[in-house]
């Protein structure tokens, strides 16, 4: 399923400055994995050491956070657009 | 390298003091060239999305607020080039929690607020292997 992924400014250093890239996948998880395989340097910023998508990476299908749809298992159709949207988090204490 | 004019650093310090004993947070709006240079023109305070009882040591700018900050920046002809937050009664040094949640490329400004008075202000960029922050200011 060919789809489009929109890339936030901070991650465009890994996509040759492209603001959107093409990827393939039947689900959100599949499309993101396909994208990460095409741009391997981005992988560590999207996934933690266990291969789980980092908690601060949000994925929007159109205007909707996929957390409010079927999560990473949300099915995609031809021509869908996903947007990677980070949350910015931090704080003074280590844990 | 980041250029943070006095007007912007003063605004961040006054936000840090105003929100004490909680953490303040917001976006740095400005311009970036292609080779790592960036200039902050103004700051955009954003409300801390964490639960009230966690705000003394945590902040979050949720995805909707993130998108809104990018929209505001674009409307002003600027880009979001980083984020700031305060460390109430902690030094202006990024915590491991900061590093684990950081993105590459952005500048992360931290202001220490000691007993309600803003002091040290530093700026950091995540190293490309995520192992540490590099101090830029
Ligand atoms: Zn911090």
């Amino acid at each position: 399923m060919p789809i489009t992924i929109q890339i936030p400014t901070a991650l465009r250093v890994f996509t040759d400055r492209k603001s959107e890239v093409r990827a393939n996948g039947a689900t959100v998880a599949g499309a993101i994995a396909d994208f990460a395989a095409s741009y391997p340097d981005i992988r560590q910023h999207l996934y933690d050491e266990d291969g789980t998508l980092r908690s601060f990476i949000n994925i929007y299908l159109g205007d909707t956070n996929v957390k409010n749809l079927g999560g990473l298992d949300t099915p995609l159709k031809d021509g869908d657009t996903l947007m990677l949207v980070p949350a910015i988090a931090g704080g003074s204490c280590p844990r | 390298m980041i250029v943070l004019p006095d007007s912007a650093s003063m605004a961040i310090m006054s936000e840090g003091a105003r929100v004490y004993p909680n953490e303040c947070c917001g976006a740095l709006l400005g311009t970036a060239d292609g080779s790592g240079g960036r200039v902050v023109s103004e700051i955009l305070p954003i409300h801390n999305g964490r639960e009230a009882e966690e705000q003394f040591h945590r902040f979050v700018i949720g995805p909707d607020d993130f998108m809104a900050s990018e929209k505001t920046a674009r409307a002003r002809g600027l880009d979001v080039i980083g984020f700031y937050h305060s460390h109430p009664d902690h030094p202006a040094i990024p915590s491991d929690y900061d590093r684990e949640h950081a993105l590459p490329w952005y500048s992360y400004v931290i202001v220490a607020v000691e007993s309600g008075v803003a002091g040290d202000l530093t700026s950091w960029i995540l190293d490309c292997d995520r192992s540490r922050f590099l101090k830029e200011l």
Side-chain angles (χ1 to χ4, degrees), chain A residues 6-70:
Chain A
Q6 294 183 342
I7 311 299
T9 318
L11 296 178
R12 289 179 200 162
V13 282
F14 304 105
T15 59
D16 310 319
R17 304 202 179 281
K18 282 184 261 190
S19 60
E20 48 181 61
V21 300
R22 306 286 284 166
N24 277 285
T27 62
V28 172
I32 299 300
D34 181 58
F35 163 60
S38 306
Y39 300 94
D41 290 343
I42 213 170
R43 167 165 286 277
Q44 61 172 335
H45 301 294
L46 298 182
Y47 298 97
D48 67 18
E49 293 77 4
D50 306 326
T52 307
L53 198 68
R54 290 186 183 276
S55 59
F56 57 83
I57 299 289
N58 295 271
I59 301 163
Y60 281 61
L61 173 57
D63 292 330
T64 309
N65 192 327
V66 299
K67 281 176 182 164
N68 301 323
L69 299 170

Side-chain angles (χ1 to χ4, degrees), chain B residues 16-29:
Chain B
R18 187 179 66 78
V19 177
Y20 181 92
N22 289 335
E23 295 200 1
C24 71
C25 56
L28 309 171
L29 310 189

Side-chain angles (χ1 to χ4, degrees), chain A residues 8-11 13-14 17 44-45 54-58 60 65 83 85-95, chain B residues 23 34 57-61 63-64 66-67 70 83 87 90 95 97-98 100-106 128-130:
Chain A
T9 318
L11 296 178
V13 282
F14 304 105
R17 304 202 179 281
Q44 61 172 335
H45 301 294
R54 290 186 183 276
S55 59
F56 57 83
I57 299 289
N58 295 271
Y60 281 61
N65 192 327
M83 182 166 36
V85 184
I88 305 296
S92 60
C93 297
R95 290 288 159 215
Chain B
E23 295 200 1
H57 71 161
R58 291 284 181 262
F59 79 92
V60 68
I61 296 169
D64 291 331
F66 176 91
M67 283 198 290
E70 290 221 307
F83 296 89
H87 278 185
H90 276 78
S95 66
Y97 189 89
D98 285 334
E100 285 157 12
H101 292 82
L103 286 157
W105 192 79
Y106 285 130
C128 18
D129 66 359
R130 303 192 63 86

Side-chain angles (χ1 to χ4, degrees), chain B residues 30-106:
Chain B
T31 50
D33 62 30
S35 48
R38 65 266 309 263
V39 180
V40 177
S41 345
E42 57 188 288
I43 68 155
L44 179 69
I46 299 172
H47 91 99
N48 184 344
R50 284 302 297 254
E51 318 84 296
E53 63 273 21
E54 294 293 334
Q55 289 185 8
F56 74 97
H57 71 161
R58 291 284 181 262
F59 79 92
V60 68
I61 296 169
D64 291 331
D65 285 333
F66 176 91
M67 283 198 290
S69 70
E70 290 221 307
K71 201 172 164 191
T72 301
R74 274 196 303 275
R76 297 177 189 178
L78 301 170
D79 284 312
V80 174
I81 57 176
F83 296 89
Y84 68 86
H85 70 284
S86 61
H87 278 185
D89 298 317
H90 276 78
I93 295 170
S95 66
D96 283 346
Y97 189 89
D98 285 334
R99 185 175 50 79
E100 285 157 12
H101 292 82
L103 286 157
W105 192 79
Y106 285 130

